[in-house]
Coordinates of all heavy atoms in Angstrom, one line a residue:
C2 N -172.8 -84.0 -34.1 CA -173.9 -84.2 -35.1 C -175.3 -84.1 -34.5 O -176.3 -84.2 -35.2 CB -173.7 -85.6 -35.8 SG -172.3 -85.7 -36.8
L10 N -183.9 -69.6 -33.2 CA -184.0 -69.1 -34.6 C -184.1 -67.6 -34.6 O -185.1 -67.1 -34.3 CB -185.1 -69.8 -35.3 CG -185.2 -71.3 -35.3 CD1 -186.4 -71.8 -36.0 CD2 -183.9 -71.9 -35.9
V18 N -178.2 -64.8 -45.8 CA -178.1 -65.8 -44.7 C -177.3 -67.0 -45.1 O -176.8 -67.6 -44.2 CB -179.5 -66.2 -44.2 CG1 -180.3 -65.1 -43.5 CG2 -180.3 -66.8 -45.3
F24 N -178.2 -71.5 -40.6 CA -179.3 -70.6 -40.9 C -180.6 -71.3 -41.1 O -180.7 -72.5 -41.3 CB -178.9 -69.7 -42.0 CG -178.7 -70.4 -43.4 CD1 -179.7 -70.5 -44.3 CD2 -177.5 -70.9 -43.7 CE1 -179.5 -71.1 -45.5 CE2 -177.3 -71.6 -44.9 CZ -178.3 -71.6 -45.8
L37 N -187.9 -76.4 -62.2 CA -186.4 -76.4 -62.1 C -185.9 -77.8 -62.2 O -186.5 -78.8 -61.7 CB -185.9 -75.8 -60.8 CG -186.3 -74.4 -60.5 CD1 -185.8 -74.0 -59.1 CD2 -185.6 -73.5 -61.5
L59 N -185.7 -81.4 -33.0 CA -186.1 -80.2 -33.8 C -187.6 -80.1 -33.8 O -188.1 -79.0 -33.6 CB -185.5 -80.3 -35.2 CG -184.0 -80.2 -35.3 CD1 -183.6 -80.5 -36.7 CD2 -183.6 -78.7 -35.0
Y97 N -165.9 -83.5 -47.7 CA -165.9 -82.1 -47.4 C -167.2 -81.4 -48.0 O -167.8 -80.6 -47.4 CB -164.7 -81.4 -48.0 CG -164.7 -79.9 -47.8 CD1 -164.5 -79.4 -46.5 CD2 -164.9 -79.1 -48.8 CE1 -164.5 -78.1 -46.3 CE2 -164.9 -77.7 -48.6 CZ -164.7 -77.2 -47.3 OH -164.7 -75.9 -47.1
V103 N -179.5 -80.5 -43.7 CA -180.7 -79.7 -44.0 C -181.9 -80.5 -43.5 O -182.0 -81.7 -43.9 CB -180.8 -79.3 -45.5 CG1 -182.0 -78.4 -45.6 CG2 -179.6 -78.6 -46.0
F121 N -185.5 -78.4 -55.0 CA -186.1 -78.0 -56.2 C -187.6 -77.7 -56.2 O -188.3 -77.6 -57.2 CB -185.8 -79.0 -57.3 CG -184.4 -79.2 -57.5 CD1 -183.8 -80.4 -57.2 CD2 -183.5 -78.2 -58.0 CE1 -182.4 -80.7 -57.4 CE2 -182.2 -78.4 -58.2 CZ -181.6 -79.6 -57.9

Side-chain angles (χ1 to χ4, degrees):
C2 294
L10 304 179
V18 293
F24 62 95
L37 297 176
L59 290 169
Y97 179 74
V103 182
F121 300 113

